[in-house]
Amino acid sequence: MLRGRPKALNRRVGARAWGRGGVGVREGREVGGRPKARSKRRVLIPALKEAREEARRRDRGMEFQTVGSERLKARPPMIGRVGQETWSRPEPTERRERAAMVKFQPSLWPWDTVRNNLRSTLTEMCVLYDVLNVLKEKKYMTLDPVSQEPPPSKQVLQLCGKKKSLAGAAQILLKGADRLSKSVAENQEHKRQRDFNSELLRLRQHWKLRKVGDKLLGDLSYRSAGSLFPHHGTFEVIKNTDIDPDKKIPDDYCPLDVVIPSDLEGSAYIKVSIQKQAPDIGDLGTVNLLRRPTQKPKPGTAHWQTKLEAAQSVLLCKEIFAQLSREAVQIKSQIPHIVVKNQIISQPFPGLQLSISLCHFVNDKKSQKVSVENQRPDDHLYVLEHNLHQLMREFHKQTLSSSMMPHPATAPFGLKRMRVVGPQAYDKGEISALQHNEGLLEKIIKQAKHIFLRRRTAWTIDSLASRIEDPQIQAHWSNINDVYESSVKVLITSQGYEQICKSIQLQLIIGVEQIKVVHRDGRVITLSHQEQELQDFLLSQMSQHQVHAVQQLAKVMGWHLLSFSSHVGLGPVESIGNASAITVASPNGEYSISVRNGPESGCKVVVQFPRSQCKDLPKSDVMQDSKWNHLRGPFKEVLWSKMEGRNFVYKMELLMAALAPCP
Amino acid sequence: MGVCVVSQIPAVEGKSVQQTVEMITKKLEILGAVKQGTFCVDCETYHAAPIVNNSGQQGKLMYVMHNTEYPASCFALFENGPCLVADTNFDTLMIKLKGFFQNAKSNKIESRGQRYQFSDFLVKVGTVTMGPSARGISVEVEYCPSIVSNDCWNLMMEFMQSFMGSHTPGIPSVFTAKHDGIYTPTDTVIQYMELFNKIRKQQQAPVSGMR
């Protein structure tokens, strides 16, 4: 500090002070002014004192100087005692003494060492400056690098250092990665949480949910749709978020899961089948559990959706079966319905049994085993199974609509249609028809009867058509049927003569218990469910068709109809229906053909020749005259099976052509 | 629902109403009709209060009738006037309307008897009672398959002749009154009302046929 101070103070005086050599530093301190005069004056201070005072008064500049010096005096004591001593304007006596000391003991000046050091430094600096100048010139002296041995390599040290720094970096990276993964996991957790909520929202769109305590319970029953089934049908919604984040998340992972009641697990279906013969009573109740392939969930639907839907369908199947078995016990029928375990057996027709069974299997190995053992041909009546479901829904709707609000204050409860019963004055019959409510079982049995009757009718017609080639049977089934009624149009034709032989057209209306046959001419015949009746009827119609065909053909060929009878009272008695017969005469009346066709005895064709052509006729004594030759002669049977031609009508045509004379 | 003809048969000379009814039913049974329970047609009379009758017509009567053939309905009708068909709740409504319509309890009249079915025909032979005493015999013949009254009249008349003989009625006025000829349940009730009114009047004026 002491050293630095003078430097700062001397900045102005600078080299001048140094250059003057022995001149005191004190002189340099005087700012501005006339240094020479000062030095003189210093010596003559006492003498000049008065003059100076005068001059001060006179000269403003002097005054200024005084002010400046005083300002200097007021400086903080940084300068220390030395400064104070040096710069303070001493008392006249003191000044005098000191002046004497400076004069006589210059070496004792306190800044002497500083000055000396500065001088030596200056010298050295000057030398350095010179050397540098010389070096810069590069004429006399140059600097050459001195080859030195490289310092011993510190590879181990370096390695250690590197290792340490790398470890540091790695630690930082690891820390960052850790933090990142943590945040990612947290994100996922949040996402999962969010997913649960969104899934819950989706669930709520399709299912009824309610909160009970800290549980979320849902309702998969059909109660809100009008079901009266007592099963509560409750499922629980659980959160499935606590899976191990380290493990791979399965593809079908869903943060929401549902717990369904154990009795609704697995899958179930109602099986309806019709069997011909009654099985052994011991077999009852062991319904074959045909295992259906588990349905793959549709892409895009949630896991819980399929689960709930399956449970719901199980519930519906159970409800249907419960309803059916209740009705089966209640309904009095001629042959009581049997309810054994999961099977309801009813006899719609003698020798025929309708079985409705509830097949419910839970996904475990045991049931699978059973199903393999009992594998039987698939004899489902899918239509009836579907209809059962539909009927159940209808039943639901009915119960729902009967209690539906708003309800007129004066109207009676019950069916909506019953409200008009009073004002419209329905009579007893109409009201009882309104109130009559068929149960599920009755309806399904009726449908089953109809289906069976329809199938058997089709089978009968088909077997007849395949067995009998001539005439042909065509059956045209209507595509749109009622559940209790369907119709078929049966045409009996001969091949190649469809246009002229169209006499037999039958409309068969197949009902529940019987078949109604409507003829082309409007006659109605009612047949029972026995297939033999239909078969016999069709056979008799076919035999009649042949005779009708001959009649039609005769018209076309120009032959004359002599007699026609669709129910001949002569000849052998047929076991089925009656034989029919026709007689036609050739255009010129020479020949006549008589055909008798019975459903059982088949056809018999005889030709009557003119008398003149018969050579073996015994000469009659009565008919001597030649005119009697024009009388018809005896009948001769045609060996019909040996006739040429592919069918009856064709043969007949050939026969007629042969007998008619060429024009 | 078909076409009905309601008529009255006077009691046979020297026999009570009950005996005459038995005779007719026996005839029907011999004919081959099948008994199918009973029937009842009742009629209550209400006097309209003066407030309702502001037009000055005195003593306008309203009849409230029930017919077991139409168990859910209640018929309210004026003579020659409109006929209302309502729910059976109408009876309770009439109690509420006491201020306007007063029930003439003593005028309650009803016809009870057996219901017979003969193929397409329904025959109801009933004893008309007013209070405790039997006043006459009503015979209702219904031809179920049709609702066009004029088309059935001849057939019905022929059928009625088979068991009613000389007491077969003439064509009822309701048959001819209608333009379209469609028969409705109210026509049956109107016929019963007319019958009951006739019987009431017969009671007031002594009738020889009743003995």
Side-chain angles (χ1 to χ4, degrees):
Chain A
M1 196 172 195
L2 275 173
R3 202 183 283 177
R5 189 69 211 166
K7 205 174 176 184
L9 288 172
N10 288 335
R11 203 183 296 155
R12 277 209 183 154
V13 237
R16 211 201 300 169
W18 286 331
R20 241 185 262 142
V23 182
V25 176
R26 212 177 144 187
E27 281 170 345
R29 297 278 165 218
E30 298 291 338
V31 181
R34 298 142 276 182
K36 269 181 187 169
R38 275 271 173 105
S39 58
K40 263 183 201 167
R41 211 170 57 189
R42 196 178 293 158
V43 183
L44 305 169
I45 280 171
L48 285 173
K49 192 186 169 184
E50 281 175 28
R52 204 180 130 194
E53 298 257 273
E54 264 179 27
R56 195 195 284 167
R57 267 175 247 129
R58 227 181 22 233
D59 193 352
R60 296 295 290 177
M62 274 301 286
E63 201 176 276
F64 173 75
Q65 269 197 341
T66 322
V67 172
S69 65
E70 269 169 8
R71 198 181 287 159
L72 278 170
K73 226 171 26 178
R75 275 184 172 257
M78 258 164 145
I79 304 160
R81 275 196 64 81
V82 183
Q84 199 167 358
E85 278 172 27
T86 319
W87 300 109
S88 60
R89 191 169 293 226
E91 294 298 308
T93 47
E94 273 181 10
R95 273 186 91 126
R96 244 177 280 145
E97 280 172 10
R98 189 167 300 167
M101 271 167 66
V102 168
K103 206 176 183 177
F104 298 111
Q105 294 173 323
S107 62
L108 290 176
W109 189 52
W111 287 95
D112 203 30
T113 49
V114 175
R115 194 198 62 179
N116 291 342
N117 279 340
L118 280 171
R119 284 193 77 135
S120 64
T121 309
L122 177 68
T123 318
E124 274 174 40
M125 285 296 283
C126 287
V127 171
L128 184 64
Y129 180 72
D130 288 344
V131 169
L132 283 174
N133 268 343
V134 170
L135 273 172
K136 208 179 168 187
E137 290 294 313
K138 290 189 180 173
K139 277 183 183 166
Y140 312 104
M141 199 155 88
T142 52
L143 282 175
D144 266 340
V146 183
S147 69
Q148 258 180 335
E149 256 188 51
S153 66
K154 297 169 185 169
Q155 268 188 346
V156 180
L157 213 70
Q158 262 180 346
L159 213 64
C160 279
K162 267 184 187 167
K163 205 173 162 186
K164 205 174 172 187
S165 56
L166 278 175
Q171 209 171 358
I172 288 166
L173 283 175
L174 275 176
K175 225 184 246 172
D178 200 28
R179 209 174 285 169
L180 260 178
S181 69
K182 221 183 254 174
S183 82
V184 163
E186 215 166 274
N187 255 352
Q188 267 179 348
E189 183 66 29
H190 278 168
K191 208 172 151 195
R192 225 168 280 154
Q193 182 72 24
R194 212 167 48 238
D195 278 358
F196 173 76
N197 288 333
S198 67
E199 289 281 311
L200 195 64
L201 204 66
R202 281 174 60 200
L203 186 75
R204 274 201 56 142
Q205 284 172 352
H206 297 102
W207 303 91
K208 273 171 92 174
L209 292 180
R210 72 198 144 95
K211 201 172 179 190
V212 177
D214 55 346
K215 282 179 176 176
L216 270 174
L217 295 182
D219 183 16
L220 53 75
S221 75
Y222 281 96
R223 211 164 300 132
S224 58
S227 163
L228 302 172
F229 195 49
H231 195 285
H232 55 83
T234 314
F235 67 92
E236 194 190 335
V237 182
I238 51 164
K239 219 188 232 185
N240 197 13
T241 46
D242 50 339
I243 59 157
D244 198 354
D246 297 338
K247 280 185 188 166
K248 195 178 163 259
I249 297 171
D251 292 337
D252 55 349
Y253 166 74
C254 181
L256 188 143
D257 205 359
V258 288
V259 180
I260 54 173
S262 57
D263 56 340
L264 298 182
E265 272 171 6
S267 63
Y269 61 95
I270 297 274
K271 189 194 159 192
V272 183
S273 60
I274 295 180
Q275 283 125 26
K276 270 279 169 60
Q277 73 283 5
D280 213 14
I281 199 81
D283 285 352
L284 290 180
T286 55
V287 169
N288 41 350
L289 291 161
L290 285 174
R291 193 178 170 75
R292 281 183 191 169
T294 46
Q295 289 170 349
K296 287 266 181 281
K298 273 181 265 171
T301 54
H303 164 65
W304 45 262
Q305 182 71 17
T306 50
K307 213 168 157 184
L308 288 175
E309 274 171 4
Q312 204 174 28
S313 83
V314 172
L315 186 67
L316 188 68
C317 287
K318 283 195 165 191
E319 186 180 352
I320 291 169
F321 193 77
Q323 177 76 18
L324 285 175
S325 37
R326 191 165 53 238
E327 280 174 15
V329 174
Q330 281 171 355
I331 291 168
K332 301 271 180 289
S333 67
Q334 288 175 337
I335 304 161
H337 310 295
I338 308 166
V339 183
V340 189
K341 287 182 190 172
N342 63 342
Q343 199 173 13
I344 299 169
I345 295 164
S346 159
Q347 280 205 342
F349 292 123
L352 198 76
Q353 84 166 11
L354 170 76
S355 90
I356 303 167
S357 40
L358 172 72
C359 304
H360 182 203
F361 49 85
V362 186
N363 293 332
D364 56 33
K365 283 180 183 173
K366 202 180 161 190
S367 66
Q368 221 166 350
K369 219 170 155 186
V370 170
S371 73
V372 172
E373 281 168 10
N374 285 346
Q375 203 87 42
R376 268 201 233 164
D378 203 5
D379 53 351
H380 279 262
L381 281 173
Y382 291 109
V383 175
L384 286 187
E385 286 161 23
H386 171 80
N387 283 1
L388 263 179
H389 282 80
Q390 216 170 26
L391 288 172
M392 198 71 225
R393 305 277 175 127
E394 249 169 49
F395 183 71
H396 286 169
K397 199 186 157 208
Q398 226 174 48
T399 53
L400 198 69
S401 64
S402 71
S403 61
M404 205 162 58
M405 295 295 165
H407 187 267
T410 55
F413 278 100
L415 275 174
K416 208 171 174 182
R417 231 185 296 167
M418 289 296 279
R419 289 177 198 168
V420 298
V421 161
Q424 307 246 327
Y426 279 31
D427 66 13
K428 271 181 183 170
E430 285 168 310
I431 291 173
S432 67
L434 261 183
Q435 279 173 333
H436 180 63
N437 218 348
E438 265 186 331
L440 219 56
L441 188 66
E442 277 175 295
K443 281 180 185 165
I444 213 71
I445 286 175
K446 268 172 86 179
Q447 289 186 14
K449 276 180 170 183
H450 171 67
I451 286 177
F452 177 74
L453 203 58
R454 195 176 62 204
R455 280 189 180 180
R456 195 150 73 176
T457 307
W459 182 82
T460 307
I461 293 171
D462 286 355
S463 64
L464 266 182
S466 64
R467 194 157 54 104
I468 298 168
E469 286 175 6
D470 180 36
Q472 292 176 326
I473 299 182
Q474 296 172 10
H476 298 280
W477 290 89
S478 59
N479 279 327
I480 300 164
N481 298 329
D482 188 63
V483 281
Y484 302 135
E485 196 172 271
S486 50
S487 82
V488 56
K489 194 167 189 175
V490 177
L491 296 178
I492 300 173
T493 58
S494 299
Q495 197 197 354
Y497 296 89
E498 284 88 356
Q499 280 307 309
I500 58 164
C501 309
K502 287 194 287 194
S503 55
I504 308 283
Q505 290 183 4
L506 305 164
Q507 182 86 27
L508 265 62
I509 298 165
I510 301 156
V512 173
E513 299 255 339
Q514 55 194 16
I515 303 167
K516 232 192 220 173
V517 184
V518 182
H519 264 277
R520 197 187 181 188
D521 55 3
R523 276 179 299 155
V524 177
I525 297 164
T526 307
L527 306 174
S528 81
H529 58 86
Q530 299 285 350
E531 62 178 313
Q532 194 62 42
E533 278 187 35
L534 178 67
Q535 198 177 330
D536 292 356
F537 173 75
L538 286 176
L539 279 173
S540 77
Q541 290 297 313
M542 285 158 102
S543 90
Q544 277 195 14
H545 163 81
Q546 303 289 48
V547 177
H548 278 284
V550 174
Q551 190 195 357
Q552 299 289 331
L553 191 68
K555 261 187 209 167
V556 175
M557 302 284 286
W559 285 53
H560 305 295
L561 180 68
L562 295 181
S563 75
F564 178 84
S565 169
S566 48
H567 301 285
V568 185
L570 298 170
V573 178
E574 304 281 333
S575 61
I576 310 160
N578 290 318
S580 43
I582 188 170
T583 310
V584 286
S586 64
N588 60 5
E590 280 187 337
Y591 298 92
S592 71
I593 301 171
S594 186
V595 181
R596 184 186 196 273
N597 202 349
E600 207 181 28
S601 54
C603 70
K604 189 179 175 187
V605 182
V606 287
V607 177
Q608 193 181 28
F609 294 91
R611 231 176 156 72
S612 56
Q613 289 192 9
C614 297
K615 305 212 167 54
D616 52 344
L617 264 183
K619 286 278 180 185
S620 170
D621 298 333
V622 185
M623 294 182 286
Q624 296 283 337
D625 202 356
S626 62
K627 68 177 179 185
W628 297 114
N629 279 340
H630 293 290
L631 274 180
R632 296 213 183 95
F635 284 95
K636 278 190 177 173
E637 191 178 345
V638 180
L639 292 174
W640 200 245
S641 57
K642 297 204 172 165
M643 273 285 287
E644 254 181 67
R646 56 174 179 271
N647 60 21
F648 176 84
V649 186
Y650 189 53
K651 283 176 183 177
M652 189 56 72
E653 191 186 351
L654 287 179
L655 181 68
M656 284 178 175
L659 292 179
C662 293
Chain B
M1 195 203 73
V3 180
C4 288
V5 174
V6 181
S7 62
Q8 191 192 0
I9 289 187
V12 180
E13 203 73 43
K15 285 192 174 165
S16 71
V17 169
Q18 203 55 46
Q19 283 168 323
T20 316
V21 169
E22 273 171 25
M23 263 176 61
I24 298 168
T25 52
K26 201 169 272 176
K27 262 187 196 171
L28 280 170
E29 274 168 31
I30 290 165
L31 214 71
V34 186
K35 205 200 270 188
Q36 276 196 334
T38 59
F39 84 100
C40 173
V41 180
D42 64 86
C43 171
E44 283 186 74
T45 313
Y46 286 84
H47 294 290
I51 315 158
V52 183
N53 267 347
N54 51 6
S55 58
Q57 295 171 329
Q58 262 298 314
K60 196 168 186 187
L61 299 173
M62 189 178 85
Y63 303 98
V64 175
M65 299 178 76
H66 300 96
N67 189 343
T68 46
E69 195 63 24
Y70 309 105
S73 309
C74 178
F75 302 86
L77 58 161
F78 289 103
E79 219 169 335
N80 306 318
C83 181
L84 173 81
V85 189
D87 277 329
T88 42
N89 291 341
F90 187 75
D91 294 330
T92 52
L93 191 71
M94 285 310 286
I95 297 168
K96 299 262 181 198
L97 294 173
K98 246 180 213 167
F100 307 101
F101 294 99
Q102 279 119 30
N103 192 350
K105 285 258 164 67
S106 59
N107 268 343
K108 183 167 182 180
I109 190 165
E110 64 177 19
S111 173
R112 279 176 186 278
Q114 303 287 346
R115 184 174 183 261
Y116 287 89
Q117 177 143 32
F118 178 71
S119 180
D120 282 342
F121 291 96
L122 268 179
V123 183
K124 294 169 193 166
V125 182
T127 320
V128 182
T129 53
M130 197 172 160
S133 55
R135 303 284 178 184
I137 303 154
S138 73
V139 177
E140 180 195 331
V141 178
E142 182 176 350
Y143 179 62
C144 300
S146 173
I147 56 163
V148 183
S149 43
N150 287 319
D151 290 358
C152 324
W153 169 242
N154 288 324
L155 176 71
M156 291 174 80
M157 193 175 64
E158 211 170 305
F159 173 69
M160 283 189 285
Q161 275 169 353
S162 66
F163 70 97
M164 286 161 80
S166 59
H167 299 297
T168 307
I171 186 162
S173 57
V174 287
F175 279 29
T176 47
K178 290 205 169 183
H179 296 296
D180 54 355
I182 302 294
Y183 193 87
T184 57
T186 51
D187 296 333
T188 311
V189 178
I190 289 169
Q191 286 187 60
Y192 266 107
M193 183 195 68
E194 284 168 354
L195 178 83
F196 290 156
N197 283 345
K198 205 169 118 194
I199 287 174
R200 274 198 206 102
K201 278 170 194 155
Q202 278 174 355
Q203 186 219 357
Q204 282 155 9
V207 180
S208 58
M210 287 296 291
R211 305 274 144 73

